[in-house]
């Protein structure tokens, strides 16, 4: 069929033609904004799930919903940056939001106050003056100038929240890949949102991250479990999975045979990204507006090759030989979460020796810990890919320091 009409979108974070199976989350977000607009409290949200389940897509939908409700949106993807860069990002975004809430010439006392607090927040970025502010608003004295990220961000969100409330508007922070925030940054966000809840301001925080983020948030602040909902999204099941595959095609006048749909769902296991990728490949090989099981079989090799060369490979290419061996050993043991001691035994090492390697893979976002002592892949079907990409389990030799290095130590 014509590639121009291909309705599938197998790209990172790209919204599908039709968002299927996420009604509960979107309705919860709409309720969150409505309650805050009325001065009521409601828990903020952090979406958790594996790679490829549509977390970023869902956040994008939240952004659209917020825009339709005339809320200001602070949106960014977390990176492993120092606190100074985080401050700069927050200042830039909050400054823009404040100016959208009200042009500078129309600022009330609350708008002016918010701008001054923002200036204080920005001045703390670099005491050496390496980064200068981009506006001439004088800083407020005694606000957002504590030198503590949590206290400073709290002052800023309270001030901007008051300005938004005065305009009959709201502010929502949307952060993707939360697990990559430094602990100080995550703690600051939780602390500041907690205070806006206490003040009944129309300010909220929604984010998305890998499954370990609920634990990280709890470690950052003990009250996080009461401040946030942590809805988990997973693969689509039943009619939702079928609709995610068939409805985009139907909009272009193409119909799947029933057995073709069942085979496609069996291959993809209902993971949204995999459905988009298989649908895209099927569209390129189908020759009519009726898609048969033979088309699914014909597209299967291209589908797996595309996943291997992009979705999976970019993650493996970041790994060291020992990290690769660790993941290959996990794959050897099966698709479930694996005990650290079992992986170490297969590699002929002690689990304490491999502790740093396991921690590195978690830090890289390739593994997460569903239970104490266990680790699992953050990417669905990554175990199958490891078996294909690394046919044999080769264990790198233990690197020993020379006597010369030991004497220096």
């Amino acid at each position: 069929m014509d590639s121009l009409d291909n309705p599938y979108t197998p790209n990172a974070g790209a919204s599908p033609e039709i968002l299927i199976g996420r009604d509960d989350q979107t309705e919860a977000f709409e309720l969150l904004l409505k309650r805050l607009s009325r001065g009521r409290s409601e828990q903020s949200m952090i979406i958790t799930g594996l790679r490829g389940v549509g977390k970023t897509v869902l956040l994008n939908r939240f952004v659209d919903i917020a825009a339709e409700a005339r809320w200001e949106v602070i949106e960014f993807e977390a990176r492993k940056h120092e606190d100074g860069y985080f401050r700069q990002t927050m200042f830039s975004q909050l400054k823009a939001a404040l100016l959208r809430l009200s042009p500078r010439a129309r600022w009330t006392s609350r708008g002016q106050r918010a701008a001054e607090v923002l200036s204080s927040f920005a001045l703390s970025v670099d005491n050496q003056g390496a980064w200068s502010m981009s506006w001439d608003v004088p800083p407020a004295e005694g606000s957002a100038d504590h030198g503590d990220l949590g206290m400073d961000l709290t002052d800023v969100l309270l001030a901007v929240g008051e300005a938004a409330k005065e305009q009959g508007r709201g502010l929502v922070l949307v952060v993707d890949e939360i697990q990559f925030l430094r602990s100080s940054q995550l703690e600051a966000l939780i602390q500041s949102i907690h205070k806006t809840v206490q003040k009944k301001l129309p300010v909220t925080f929604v984010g998305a991250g890998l499954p370990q983020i609920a634990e990280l948030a709890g470690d950052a602040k003990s009250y996080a479990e009461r401040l946030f909902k942590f809805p988990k999204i997973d693969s689509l099941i039943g009619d939702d999975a079928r609709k995610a595959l068939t409805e985009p095609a139907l909009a272009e006048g193409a119909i799947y045979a029933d057995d073709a749909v069942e085979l496609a769902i069996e291959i993809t296991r209902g993971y949204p990204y995999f459905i988009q990728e298989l649908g895209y490949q099927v569209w390129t090989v189908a020759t009519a507006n009726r898609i048969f099981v033979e088309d699914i079989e014909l597209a299967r090799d291209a589908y797996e090759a595309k996943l291997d060369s992009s979705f999976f490979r970019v993650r493996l290419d970041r790994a060291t030989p020992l990290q690769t061996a660790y993941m290959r050993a996990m794959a050897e043991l099966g698709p479930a979460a694996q005990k650290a001691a079992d992986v170490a035994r297969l590699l002929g090492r002690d689990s304490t020796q491999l502790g740093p390697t396991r921690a590195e893979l978690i830090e890289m976002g390739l593994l997460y810990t569903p239970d104490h002592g266990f680790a699992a892949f953050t990417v669905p079907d990554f175990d199958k890919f490891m078996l294909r990409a690394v046919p044999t389990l080769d264990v790198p030799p233990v690197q020993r320091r020379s006597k010369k290095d030991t004497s220096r130590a």
Side-chain angles (χ1 to χ4, degrees), residues 12 36 39 50-51 54 57 65 87 116 122 143 194 196 224 235 286 296 303 307 316 349 353 380 399 403:
L36 292 180
L50 300 181
R51 300 286 185 194
V57 168
I65 292 170
R87 280 182 181 266
E116 292 171 356
S143 293
H194 186 218
T196 64
S235 58
I296 306 294
Y303 157 77
L307 288 179
L316 178 59
R349 306 277 178 90
Q353 290 178 298
Q399 294 185 350
K403 292 182 179 179

Side-chain angles (χ1 to χ4, degrees), residues 321-326 328-329 346-347 349 390-397:
L322 184 54
Q323 290 168 351
T324 298
Y326 194 97
R328 178 59 175 77
L346 192 58
L347 292 172
R349 306 277 178 90
V390 187
T392 59
L393 177 57
D394 296 322
V395 184

